[in-house]
Amino acid sequence: MRNRTKVMVAVLVVLGVAAIATGVSVAGGSDDVPLVGEDLDRASQAAIDHVGGGTVVESEAGEGPDAFEVVVRLDDGTEVEVHLDEGFTVSDSQPDDESGEGHTEEDAA
């Protein structure tokens, strides 16, 4: 009986931790989908070409009419968010004012 009780307690603890982790994830509100593979490669190259150089520091599947969003850090440290359509054509770009959201390329390494 004691072993059965211990197993039940362990199961309840695991379920509790899982519930808390799910709640934290939902509360964070991040539903960003990171780019990977060929999409990441093509979107990164298009964004870097558009801004004239730099390093990709963040990427994600776009929202609304944009299929992809890529943040490029320029040599001077500023960041530019580049929006691309499904054909990897740049639709617009703007200074990134939401640094830290989305998938960072350091996460992928």
Side-chain angles (χ1 to χ4, degrees):
M1 189 78 161
R2 284 186 125 184
N3 285 339
R4 186 175 178 171
T5 302
K6 289 179 182 179
V7 169
M8 292 294 287
V9 168
V11 168
L12 290 174
V13 167
V14 168
L15 290 174
V17 168
I20 290 169
T22 300
V24 168
S25 175
V26 170
S30 179
D31 57 354
D32 298 332
V33 178
L35 298 182
V36 295
E38 186 177 349
D39 286 345
L40 175 60
D41 294 341
R42 291 181 68 190
S44 295
Q45 190 60 55
I48 289 170
D49 289 347
H50 177 73
V51 300
T55 304
V56 172
V57 295
E58 188 176 320
S59 67
E60 64 188 34
E63 299 172 356
D66 301 313
F68 309 104
E69 295 178 10
V70 178
V71 177
V72 179
R73 181 173 296 134
L74 304 177
D75 291 339
D76 67 2
T78 61
E79 295 181 355
V80 178
E81 182 174 306
V82 181
H83 298 201
L84 303 103
D85 65 17
E86 291 178 354
F88 300 94
T89 301
V90 174
S91 56
D92 75 340
S93 61
Q94 59 196 22
D96 182 38
D97 60 354
E98 298 180 13
S99 295
E101 293 185 10
H103 166 72
T104 62
E105 297 317 307
E106 289 82 21
D107 292 342

Coordinates of all heavy atoms in Angstrom, one line a residue:
M1 N 0.8 -1.2 0.0 CA 0.0 0.0 0.0 C 0.9 1.3 0.0 O 0.5 2.2 -0.6 CB -0.9 0.0 1.2 CG -2.0 1.0 1.2 SD -3.3 0.6 0.1 CE -4.5 1.6 0.7
R2 N 1.9 1.2 0.7 CA 2.8 2.4 0.8 C 3.4 2.7 -0.6 O 3.5 3.9 -1.0 CB 3.9 2.2 1.8 CG 3.5 2.3 3.2 CD 4.7 2.2 4.1 NE 4.7 3.4 4.9 CZ 5.6 3.6 5.8 NH1 6.7 2.9 5.9 NH2 5.6 4.7 6.5
N3 N 3.9 1.7 -1.3 CA 4.4 2.0 -2.6 C 3.4 2.6 -3.6 O 3.6 3.4 -4.4 CB 5.0 0.7 -3.2 CG 6.3 0.3 -2.6 OD1 7.0 1.2 -2.0 ND2 6.7 -1.0 -2.7
R4 N 2.2 2.0 -3.5 CA 1.1 2.5 -4.3 C 0.8 4.0 -4.0 O 0.6 4.8 -4.9 CB -0.2 1.7 -4.1 CG -1.3 2.0 -5.0 CD -2.4 1.1 -4.9 NE -3.5 1.5 -5.7 CZ -4.6 0.8 -6.0 NH1 -4.7 -0.3 -5.4 NH2 -5.5 1.3 -6.8
T5 N 0.8 4.4 -2.7 CA 0.6 5.8 -2.3 C 1.7 6.6 -2.9 O 1.5 7.7 -3.4 CB 0.5 5.9 -0.8 OG1 -0.5 5.0 -0.3 CG2 0.3 7.3 -0.4
K6 N 2.9 6.2 -2.8 CA 4.1 6.9 -3.3 C 4.0 7.2 -4.8 O 4.2 8.2 -5.3 CB 5.4 6.2 -3.0 CG 5.8 6.3 -1.5 CD 7.0 5.6 -1.3 CE 7.4 5.6 0.2 NZ 8.6 4.8 0.5
V7 N 3.5 6.1 -5.5 CA 3.4 6.3 -7.0 C 2.3 7.3 -7.3 O 2.4 8.1 -8.2 CB 3.1 4.9 -7.6 CG1 2.6 5.0 -9.0 CG2 4.3 4.0 -7.5
M8 N 1.2 7.2 -6.6 CA 0.1 8.2 -6.8 C 0.5 9.6 -6.5 O 0.2 10.5 -7.3 CB -1.1 7.8 -5.9 CG -1.8 6.5 -6.3 SD -2.6 6.6 -7.9 CE -4.0 7.6 -7.5
V9 N 1.3 9.8 -5.5 CA 1.8 11.1 -5.1 C 2.7 11.6 -6.3 O 2.6 12.8 -6.7 CB 2.5 11.2 -3.8 CG1 3.2 12.4 -3.6 CG2 1.4 11.0 -2.7
A10 N 3.6 10.7 -6.7 CA 4.5 11.1 -7.8 C 3.8 11.5 -9.1 O 4.1 12.5 -9.7 CB 5.5 10.0 -8.1
V11 N 2.7 10.7 -9.4 CA 1.9 11.0 -10.6 C 1.2 12.4 -10.4 O 1.2 13.2 -11.4 CB 0.9 9.9 -10.8 CG1 -0.1 10.3 -11.9 CG2 1.6 8.6 -11.3
L12 N 0.7 12.6 -9.3 CA 0.0 13.9 -9.1 C 1.0 15.1 -9.1 O 0.7 16.1 -9.7 CB -0.7 13.9 -7.7 CG -1.9 13.0 -7.6 CD1 -2.5 13.0 -6.2 CD2 -3.0 13.5 -8.6
V13 N 2.2 14.9 -8.6 CA 3.2 15.9 -8.7 C 3.6 16.2 -10.2 O 3.7 17.4 -10.6 CB 4.5 15.6 -7.9 CG1 5.6 16.5 -8.2 CG2 4.2 15.6 -6.4
V14 N 3.8 15.2 -10.9 CA 4.1 15.3 -12.3 C 3.0 16.0 -13.1 O 3.2 17.0 -13.9 CB 4.5 14.0 -13.0 CG1 4.5 14.1 -14.5 CG2 5.7 13.4 -12.4
L15 N 1.8 15.6 -12.8 CA 0.6 16.3 -13.5 C 0.5 17.8 -13.1 O 0.2 18.6 -13.9 CB -0.7 15.6 -13.1 CG -0.8 14.2 -13.8 CD1 -2.1 13.5 -13.3 CD2 -0.8 14.3 -15.3
G16 N 0.8 18.0 -11.8 CA 0.8 19.4 -11.3 C 1.8 20.3 -12.0 O 1.6 21.4 -12.4
V17 N 3.0 19.7 -12.1 CA 4.1 20.5 -12.8 C 3.8 20.7 -14.2 O 4.0 21.8 -14.8 CB 5.5 19.7 -12.6 CG1 6.5 20.3 -13.6 CG2 5.9 19.7 -11.2
A18 N 3.2 19.7 -14.9 CA 2.8 19.9 -16.3 C 1.7 21.0 -16.4 O 1.8 21.8 -17.4 CB 2.3 18.5 -16.9
A19 N 0.8 21.0 -15.5 CA -0.3 22.0 -15.6 C 0.3 23.4 -15.4 O -0.1 24.3 -16.1 CB -1.3 21.7 -14.5
I20 N 1.2 23.5 -14.5 CA 1.9 24.8 -14.2 C 2.6 25.3 -15.4 O 2.6 26.4 -15.9 CB 2.7 24.8 -13.0 CG1 1.9 24.7 -11.7 CG2 3.6 26.0 -12.9 CD1 2.6 24.3 -10.4
A21 N 3.4 24.4 -16.0 CA 4.2 24.7 -17.2 C 3.3 25.1 -18.4 O 3.6 26.1 -19.1 CB 5.1 23.5 -17.6
T22 N 2.2 24.5 -18.5 CA 1.2 24.8 -19.6 C 0.6 26.2 -19.3 O 0.5 27.0 -20.2 CB 0.1 23.8 -19.7 OG1 0.7 22.5 -20.0 CG2 -0.9 24.2 -20.8
G23 N 0.3 26.5 -18.1 CA -0.2 27.8 -17.7 C 0.8 28.9 -18.0 O 0.4 30.0 -18.5
V24 N 2.0 28.7 -17.6 CA 3.1 29.7 -17.9 C 3.2 29.9 -19.4 O 3.3 31.1 -19.8 CB 4.4 29.2 -17.2 CG1 5.5 30.1 -17.7 CG2 4.3 29.3 -15.7
S25 N 3.2 28.9 -20.2 CA 3.3 29.0 -21.6 C 2.2 29.8 -22.2 O 2.4 30.7 -23.0 CB 3.4 27.6 -22.3 OG 3.4 27.7 -23.7
V26 N 1.0 29.5 -21.8 CA -0.2 30.2 -22.2 C -0.2 31.7 -21.8 O -0.5 32.6 -22.5 CB -1.5 29.5 -21.8 CG1 -2.7 30.4 -22.1 CG2 -1.6 28.2 -22.5
A27 N 0.2 31.9 -20.5 CA 0.3 33.3 -20.0 C 1.3 34.1 -20.7 O 1.1 35.3 -20.8 CB 0.6 33.2 -18.5
G28 N 2.4 33.5 -21.2 CA 3.4 34.2 -21.9 C 2.9 34.7 -23.2 O 3.4 35.7 -23.8
G29 N 1.8 34.1 -23.7 CA 1.2 34.6 -24.9 C 2.0 34.5 -26.2 O 1.6 35.0 -27.2
S30 N 3.1 33.8 -26.2 CA 3.9 33.6 -27.4 C 3.4 32.5 -28.2 O 3.5 31.3 -27.8 CB 5.3 33.4 -27.0 OG 6.1 33.3 -28.1
D31 N 2.8 32.8 -29.4 CA 2.4 31.8 -30.3 C 3.3 31.9 -31.6 O 2.9 31.4 -32.6 CB 0.9 31.8 -30.6 CG 0.5 33.2 -31.1 OD1 1.4 34.1 -31.2 OD2 -0.7 33.3 -31.5
D32 N 4.4 32.5 -31.4 CA 5.3 32.6 -32.6 C 5.8 31.3 -33.0 O 6.1 30.4 -32.2 CB 6.6 33.5 -32.2 CG 6.2 34.9 -31.8 OD1 5.1 35.4 -32.3 OD2 6.9 35.5 -31.0
V33 N 5.9 31.1 -34.3 CA 6.4 29.9 -34.9 C 7.7 30.2 -35.6 O 7.8 30.9 -36.5 CB 5.4 29.3 -36.0 CG1 5.9 28.1 -36.6 CG2 4.0 29.1 -35.4
P34 N 8.8 29.6 -35.0 CA 10.1 29.9 -35.6 C 10.3 29.3 -37.0 O 9.7 28.3 -37.3 CB 11.1 29.2 -34.6 CG 10.3 28.1 -34.0 CD 8.8 28.6 -33.9
L35 N 11.1 30.0 -37.8 CA 11.4 29.5 -39.1 C 12.5 28.5 -39.0 O 13.4 28.6 -38.1 CB 11.9 30.6 -40.0 CG 10.9 31.7 -40.3 CD1 11.5 32.7 -41.3 CD2 9.6 31.1 -40.9
V36 N 12.5 27.4 -39.8 CA 13.5 26.4 -39.8 C 13.8 26.0 -41.2 O 13.1 26.3 -42.1 CB 13.1 25.1 -39.0 CG1 13.0 25.5 -37.5 CG2 11.8 24.5 -39.5
G37 N 14.9 25.3 -41.4 CA 15.3 24.7 -42.7 C 15.3 25.7 -43.8 O 15.9 26.8 -43.7
E38 N 14.8 25.3 -45.0 CA 14.9 26.1 -46.2 C 14.1 27.5 -46.0 O 14.6 28.5 -46.5 CB 14.3 25.4 -47.4 CG 14.5 26.1 -48.7 CD 14.0 25.3 -49.9 OE1 13.7 24.1 -49.8 OE2 13.9 26.0 -51.0
D39 N 13.0 27.5 -45.3 CA 12.3 28.7 -45.1 C 13.2 29.7 -44.3 O 13.3 30.9 -44.7 CB 11.0 28.5 -44.3 CG 9.9 27.9 -45.1 OD1 10.0 27.9 -46.4 OD2 8.9 27.4 -44.5
L40 N 13.9 29.3 -43.3 CA 14.8 30.1 -42.6 C 15.9 30.6 -43.5 O 16.3 31.8 -43.5 CB 15.4 29.4 -41.3 CG 16.4 30.1 -40.5 CD1 15.9 31.4 -40.0 CD2 17.0 29.2 -39.4
D41 N 16.5 29.7 -44.2 CA 17.6 30.1 -45.1 C 17.2 31.1 -46.1 O 17.9 32.2 -46.3 CB 18.2 28.9 -45.8 CG 18.9 27.9 -44.9 OD1 19.2 28.2 -43.7 OD2 19.0 26.7 -45.3
R42 N 16.1 30.9 -46.8 CA 15.7 31.8 -47.9 C 15.2 33.2 -47.3 O 15.5 34.2 -47.9 CB 14.6 31.2 -48.7 CG 15.1 30.0 -49.5 CD 14.0 29.4 -50.4 NE 13.6 30.3 -51.4 CZ 12.5 30.1 -52.2 NH1 11.8 29.0 -52.0 NH2 12.2 31.0 -53.1
A43 N 14.4 33.1 -46.2 CA 14.0 34.4 -45.6 C 15.1 35.2 -45.1 O 15.2 36.4 -45.2 CB 13.0 34.1 -44.5
S44 N 16.1 34.5 -44.4 CA 17.3 35.2 -43.9 C 18.1 35.9 -45.0 O 18.5 37.1 -44.9 CB 18.2 34.2 -43.2 OG 17.5 33.7 -42.0
Q45 N 18.3 35.2 -46.1 CA 19.1 35.7 -47.2 C 18.4 36.9 -47.8 O 19.0 37.9 -48.1 CB 19.4 34.7 -48.3 CG 20.4 35.1 -49.3 CD 21.7 35.5 -48.7 OE1 22.3 34.7 -48.0 NE2 22.2 36.7 -48.9
A46 N 17.1 36.8 -48.0 CA 16.3 37.9 -48.6 C 16.3 39.1 -47.7 O 16.5 40.3 -48.2 CB 14.9 37.5 -48.9
A47 N 16.2 38.9 -46.4 CA 16.2 40.0 -45.4 C 17.6 40.7 -45.4 O 17.7 41.9 -45.4 CB 15.8 39.5 -44.1
I48 N 18.6 39.9 -45.3 CA 20.0 40.5 -45.3 C 20.3 41.2 -46.6 O 20.9 42.3 -46.5 CB 21.0 39.3 -45.0 CG1 20.9 38.8 -43.6 CG2 22.4 39.8 -45.3 CD1 21.7 37.6 -43.3
D49 N 19.9 40.7 -47.7 CA 20.1 41.4 -49.0 C 19.4 42.7 -49.0 O 19.9 43.7 -49.5 CB 19.6 40.5 -50.2 CG 20.6 39.3 -50.4 OD1 21.7 39.3 -49.9 OD2 20.1 38.4 -51.2
H50 N 18.1 42.7 -48.5 CA 17.3 43.9 -48.4 C 17.9 45.0 -47.6 O 17.9 46.2 -48.0 CB 15.9 43.6 -47.9 CG 15.0 44.8 -47.8 ND1 14.5 45.4 -48.9 CD2 14.6 45.5 -46.7 CE1 13.7 46.4 -48.5 NE2 13.8 46.5 -47.2
V51 N 18.5 44.7 -46.5 CA 19.1 45.8 -45.6 C 20.5 46.0 -45.9 O 21.1 46.9 -45.3 CB 18.8 45.4 -44.1 CG1 17.3 45.4 -43.8 CG2 19.6 44.2 -43.7
G52 N 21.1 45.2 -46.7 CA 22.5 45.5 -47.1 C 23.6 44.9 -46.2 O 24.7 45.3 -46.1
G53 N 23.2 43.8 -45.5 CA 24.2 43.1 -44.6 C 23.6 43.0 -43.2 O 22.6 43.6 -42.9
G54 N 24.4 42.3 -42.4 CA 24.0 42.2 -41.0 C 23.8 40.7 -40.6 O 24.2 39.8 -41.4
T55 N 23.2 40.5 -39.4 CA 23.1 39.2 -38.9 C 21.6 38.9 -38.5 O 21.1 39.8 -37.8 CB 24.0 39.0 -37.7 OG1 25.3 39.3 -38.0 CG2 23.9 37.6 -37.1
V56 N 21.1 37.8 -38.9 CA 19.7 37.5 -38.5 C 19.7 37.1 -37.0 O 20.5 36.3 -36.6 CB 19.1 36.3 -39.3 CG1 17.8 35.9 -38.8 CG2 19.0 36.8 -40.8
V57 N 18.9 37.8 -36.2 CA 18.8 37.5 -34.8 C 17.5 37.0 -34.3 O 17.3 36.5 -33.2 CB 19.2 38.8 -33.9 CG1 20.6 39.2 -34.2 CG2 18.3 39.9 -34.2
E58 N 16.5 37.0 -35.2 CA 15.2 36.5 -34.9 C 14.4 36.2 -36.1 O 14.6 36.9 -37.2 CB 14.4 37.7 -34.1 CG 13.1 37.3 -33.5 CD 12.6 38.4 -32.6 OE1 13.3 39.1 -31.9 OE2 11.4 38.7 -32.7
S59 N 13.6 35.2 -36.1 CA 12.7 34.9 -37.2 C 11.5 34.2 -36.8 O 11.4 33.6 -35.7 CB 13.5 33.9 -38.2 OG 13.7 32.7 -37.6
E60 N 10.4 34.3 -37.6 CA 9.1 33.7 -37.2 C 8.2 33.7 -38.4 O 8.4 34.5 -39.3 CB 8.5 34.4 -36.0 CG 8.0 35.8 -36.3 CD 7.5 36.5 -35.1 OE1 8.0 36.2 -34.0 OE2 6.6 37.3 -35.2
A61 N 7.3 32.8 -38.4 CA 6.2 32.8 -39.4 C 5.4 34.1 -39.2 O 5.2 34.5 -38.0 CB 5.3 31.6 -39.3
G62 N 5.1 34.8 -40.3 CA 4.4 36.1 -40.2 C 3.0 36.0 -39.8 O 2.4 34.9 -39.7
E63 N 2.4 37.2 -39.5 CA 1.0 37.3 -39.2 C 0.4 38.2 -40.3 O 1.0 39.1 -40.9 CB 0.9 38.0 -37.8 CG 1.5 37.2 -36.7 CD 1.6 38.0 -35.4 OE1 1.2 39.1 -35.4 OE2 2.0 37.4 -34.4
G64 N -0.9 37.9 -40.6 CA -1.6 38.7 -41.6 C -1.0 38.4 -42.9 O -0.8 37.3 -43.3
P65 N -0.8 39.4 -43.7 CA -0.4 39.2 -45.1 C 1.1 38.8 -45.3 O 1.5 38.4 -46.3 CB -0.6 40.6 -45.8 CG -0.4 41.6 -44.7 CD -1.0 40.9 -43.4
D66 N 1.8 38.9 -44.2 CA 3.3 38.5 -44.3 C 3.4 37.1 -43.9 O 3.0 36.6 -42.9 CB 4.1 39.4 -43.3 CG 3.9 40.9 -43.6 OD1 4.1 41.2 -44.8 OD2 3.7 41.6 -42.6
A67 N 4.1 36.3 -44.8 CA 4.4 34.9 -44.5 C 5.5 34.7 -43.5 O 5.6 33.8 -42.8 CB 4.7 34.2 -45.8
F68 N 6.5 35.7 -43.6 CA 7.7 35.6 -42.7 C 8.1 36.9 -42.2 O 7.9 37.9 -42.8 CB 8.9 35.0 -43.6 CG 8.5 33.8 -44.3 CD1 8.3 33.8 -45.7 CD2 8.4 32.6 -43.7 CE1 8.0 32.7 -46.4 CE2 8.1 31.4 -44.4 CZ 7.9 31.5 -45.8
E69 N 8.7 36.9 -41.0 CA 9.3 38.1 -40.4 C 10.7 37.7 -39.9 O 10.9 36.7 -39.3 CB 8.4 38.5 -39.2 CG 7.0 39.0 -39.5 CD 6.2 39.4 -38.3 OE1 6.8 39.5 -37.2 OE2 5.0 39.6 -38.5
V70 N 11.6 38.6 -40.3 CA 13.0 38.3 -39.9 C 13.6 39.6 -39.4 O 13.4 40.7 -39.9 CB 13.8 37.9 -41.2 CG1 15.3 37.7 -40.8 CG2 13.3 36.6 -41.8
V71 N 14.3 39.5 -38.2 CA 14.9 40.7 -37.6 C 16.4 40.6 -37.9 O 17.0 39.5 -37.6 CB 14.7 40.8 -36.1 CG1 15.4 42.0 -35.5 CG2 13.2 40.9 -35.8
V72 N 17.0 41.6 -38.5 CA 18.4 41.7 -38.8 C 19.1 42.7 -38.0 O 18.6 43.9 -37.9 CB 18.6 42.0 -40.3 CG1 20.1 42.0 -40.7 CG2 17.9 41.0 -41.2
R73 N 20.2 42.3 -37.3 CA 21.0 43.3 -36.6 C 22.1 43.8 -37.5 O 22.9 43.1 -38.0 CB 21.6 42.7 -35.3 CG 22.4 43.7 -34.5 CD 22.9 43.1 -33.2 NE 21.8 42.8 -32.3 CZ 21.7 41.7 -31.7 NH1 22.6 40.8 -31.7 NH2 20.7 41.5 -30.9
L74 N 22.0 45.1 -37.7 CA 23.0 45.8 -38.6 C 24.3 45.9 -37.8 O 24.4 45.8 -36.6 CB 22.5 47.1 -39.0 CG 21.1 47.1 -39.7 CD1 20.7 48.5 -40.1 CD2 21.2 46.2 -40.9
D75 N 25.4 46.3 -38.6 CA 26.7 46.4 -38.0 C 26.8 47.5 -36.9 O 27.6 47.4 -36.0 CB 27.8 46.8 -39.1 CG 28.0 45.6 -40.0 OD1 27.7 44.4 -39.6 OD2 28.4 45.8 -41.1
D76 N 25.9 48.5 -37.0 CA 25.9 49.5 -36.0 C 25.0 49.2 -34.7 O 24.9 50.0 -33.8 CB 25.4 50.9 -36.6 CG 23.9 50.8 -37.0 OD1 23.2 49.8 -36.8 OD2 23.4 51.9 -37.5
G77 N 24.5 47.9 -34.7 CA 23.7 47.5 -33.5 C 22.2 47.7 -33.6 O 21.5 47.1 -32.8
T78 N 21.8 48.5 -34.6 CA 20.3 48.7 -34.7 C 19.7 47.4 -35.3 O 20.4 46.6 -36.0 CB 20.0 49.9 -35.6 OG1 20.5 49.7 -36.9 CG2 20.5 51.2 -34.9
E79 N 18.4 47.2 -35.1 CA 17.8 46.1 -35.6 C 16.6 46.5 -36.6 O 15.9 47.5 -36.3 CB 17.2 45.2 -34.5 CG 18.4 44.6 -33.7 CD 17.9 43.7 -32.6 OE1 16.7 43.5 -32.3 OE2 18.8 43.0 -31.9
V80 N 16.5 45.8 -37.7 CA 15.4 46.0 -38.6 C 14.6 44.8 -38.8 O 15.1 43.7 -39.0 CB 16.0 46.4 -40.0 CG1 14.9 46.7 -41.0 CG2 17.0 47.6 -39.9
E81 N 13.2 45.0 -38.7 CA 12.3 43.9 -38.9 C 11.9 43.9 -40.4 O 11.4 44.9 -40.9 CB 11.1 44.0 -38.0 CG 10.1 42.9 -38.1 CD 9.0 43.0 -37.1 OE1 9.3 43.1 -35.9 OE2 7.8 43.0 -37.6
V82 N 12.1 42.8 -41.1 CA 11.8 42.7 -42.5 C 10.7 41.7 -42.7 O 10.7 40.6 -42.1 CB 13.1 42.2 -43.3 CG1 12.7 42.1 -44.7 CG2 14.3 43.1 -43.0
H83 N 9.6 42.1 -43.4 CA 8.5 41.3 -43.7 C 8.6 40.8 -45.1 O 8.8 41.6 -46.0 CB 7.2 42.1 -43.5 CG 7.0 42.6 -42.1 ND1 5.8 43.0 -41.6 CD2 7.9 42.8 -41.1 CE1 5.9 43.4 -40.3 NE2 7.2 43.3 -40.0
L84 N 8.3 39.5 -45.3 CA 8.3 38.9 -46.6 C 7.1 38.1 -46.9 O 6.4 37.6 -46.0 CB 9.5 37.9 -46.6 CG 10.9 38.5 -46.3 CD1 11.3 38.1 -44.9 CD2 11.9 38.1 -47.3
D85 N 6.7 38.1 -48.2 CA 5.6 37.3 -48.6 C 6.0 35.8 -48.8 O 7.1 35.5 -48.6 CB 4.9 37.9 -49.9 CG 5.8 37.8 -51.1 OD1 6.8 37.1 -51.1 OD2 5.5 38.6 -52.0
E86 N 5.0 35.0 -49.3 CA 5.3 33.6 -49.5 C 6.4 33.3 -50.5 O 7.0 32.2 -50.4 CB 4.0 32.9 -49.8 CG 3.0 32.8 -48.7 CD 1.7 32.1 -49.1 OE1 1.5 31.8 -50.3 OE2 0.9 31.9 -48.2
G87 N 6.6 34.2 -51.4 CA 7.7 34.0 -52.4 C 9.0 34.6 -52.0 O 9.9 34.7 -52.8
F88 N 9.1 35.0 -50.7 CA 10.3 35.5 -50.1 C 10.7 36.9 -50.7 O 11.8 37.3 -50.7 CB 11.5 34.5 -50.2 CG 11.3 33.2 -49.5 CD1 10.8 32.2 -50.2 CD2 11.5 33.1 -48.1 CE1 10.5 31.0 -49.5 CE2 11.2 31.9 -47.5 CZ 10.7 30.9 -48.2
T89 N 9.7 37.6 -51.1 CA 9.8 39.0 -51.6 C 9.5 39.9 -50.4 O 8.5 39.8 -49.8 CB 8.9 39.3 -52.8 OG1 9.2 38.3 -53.8 CG2 9.0 40.7 -53.3
V90 N 10.4 40.9 -50.2 CA 10.2 41.8 -49.1 C 9.0 42.7 -49.4 O 8.9 43.3 -50.5 CB 11.5 42.7 -48.9 CG1 11.2 43.8 -47.9 CG2 12.7 41.8 -48.6
S91 N 8.1 42.7 -48.4 CA 6.9 43.6 -48.5 C 7.1 44.9 -47.8 O 6.6 45.9 -48.3 CB 5.7 42.9 -48.0 OG 5.9 42.5 -46.7
D92 N 7.9 44.9 -46.7 CA 8.3 46.2 -46.1 C 9.3 45.8 -45.0 O 9.6 44.7 -44.7 CB 7.1 46.9 -45.5 CG 6.5 46.3 -44.2 OD1 6.7 45.1 -44.0 OD2 5.8 47.0 -43.5
S93 N 9.9 46.9 -44.4 CA 10.8 46.7 -43.3 C 10.7 48.0 -42.4 O 10.2 49.0 -42.9 CB 12.2 46.6 -43.8 OG 12.6 47.7 -44.6
Q94 N 11.1 47.8 -41.2 CA 11.0 48.9 -40.2 C 11.9 48.7 -39.1 O 12.3 47.5 -38.8 CB 9.5 49.1 -39.7 CG 9.0 47.8 -39.1 CD 7.5 47.8 -38.9 OE1 6.8 48.5 -39.6 NE2 7.0 47.0 -38.0
P95 N 12.3 49.7 -38.4 CA 13.1 49.5 -37.2 C 12.3 48.5 -36.2 O 11.1 48.6 -36.1 CB 13.2 50.9 -36.5 CG 12.9 51.8 -37.7 CD 12.0 51.1 -38.6
D96 N 13.1 47.6 -35.6 CA 12.5 46.6 -34.7 C 12.3 47.2 -33.3 O 13.3 47.6 -32.7 CB 13.3 45.4 -34.6 CG 12.7 44.3 -33.7 OD1 11.4 44.2 -33.8 OD2 13.4 43.7 -33.0
D97 N 11.0 47.4 -32.9 CA 10.8 48.0 -31.6 C 10.3 46.9 -30.6 O 9.9 47.2 -29.5 CB 9.8 49.1 -31.7 CG 8.4 48.7 -32.3 OD1 8.3 47.5 -32.7 OD2 7.5 49.5 -32.3
E98 N 10.3 45.6 -31.0 CA 9.9 44.6 -30.1 C 11.0 43.5 -29.9 O 10.7 42.3 -30.0 CB 8.6 43.9 -30.7 CG 7.5 44.9 -30.8 CD 6.2 44.2 -31.4 OE1 6.2 42.9 -31.5 OE2 5.3 44.9 -31.7
S99 N 12.2 44.0 -29.8 CA 13.3 43.0 -29.6 C 13.0 42.1 -28.5 O 12.5 42.4 -27.4 CB 14.6 43.8 -29.4 OG 14.9 44.5 -30.5
G100 N 13.4 40.8 -28.7 CA 13.2 39.8 -27.6 C 12.0 38.9 -27.8 O 11.9 38.0 -27.1
E101 N 11.2 39.2 -28.8 CA 10.0 38.4 -29.0 C 10.3 37.5 -30.2 O 11.0 37.9 -31.1 CB 8.8 39.2 -29.3 CG 8.3 40.0 -28.0 CD 7.0 40.8 -28.3 OE1 6.4 40.5 -29.3 OE2 6.7 41.6 -27.4
G102 N 9.7 36.4 -30.2 CA 9.9 35.5 -31.3 C 11.1 34.6 -31.1 O 11.6 34.4 -30.0
H103 N 11.5 33.9 -32.2 CA 12.6 32.9 -32.1 C 13.9 33.6 -32.4 O 14.1 34.2 -33.5 CB 12.3 31.9 -33.2 CG 13.4 31.0 -33.5 ND1 13.8 30.0 -32.5 CD2 14.2 30.9 -34.5 CE1 14.9 29.4 -33.1 NE2 15.1 29.9 -34.3
T104 N 14.9 33.5 -31.5 CA 16.2 34.0 -31.8 C 17.1 32.9 -32.4 O 16.9 31.8 -32.1 CB 16.9 34.6 -30.5 OG1 17.0 33.5 -29.6 CG2 16.0 35.7 -29.9
E105 N 18.0 33.3 -33.2 CA 18.8 32.4 -33.9 C 19.8 31.7 -32.9 O 20.2 30.6 -33.1 CB 19.6 33.0 -35.0 CG 18.7 33.6 -36.1 CD 17.6 32.7 -36.5 OE1 17.8 31.5 -36.8 OE2 16.4 33.1 -36.5
E106 N 20.0 32.3 -31.7 CA 20.8 31.7 -30.7 C 20.1 30.5 -30.1 O 20.7 29.5 -29.7 CB 21.2 32.7 -29.6 CG 22.2 33.7 -30.0 CD 21.6 34.9 -30.7 OE1 20.4 35.1 -30.6 OE2 22.3 35.6 -31.4
D107 N 18.7 30.5 -30.1 CA 17.9 29.4 -29.7 C 18.1 28.2 -30.5 O 18.0 27.1 -30.1 CB 16.4 29.8 -29.6 CG 16.1 30.8 -28.6 OD1 16.9 31.0 -27.7 OD2 15.0 31.4 -28.7
A108 N 18.3 28.4 -31.8 CA 18.4 27.3 -32.8 C 19.8 26.6 -32.7 O 19.9 25.5 -33.2 CB 18.2 27.8 -34.2
A109 N 20.7 27.3 -32.2 CA 22.1 26.7 -32.1 C 22.3 25.7 -31.1 O 21.6 25.5 -30.2 CB 23.1 27.9 -31.9

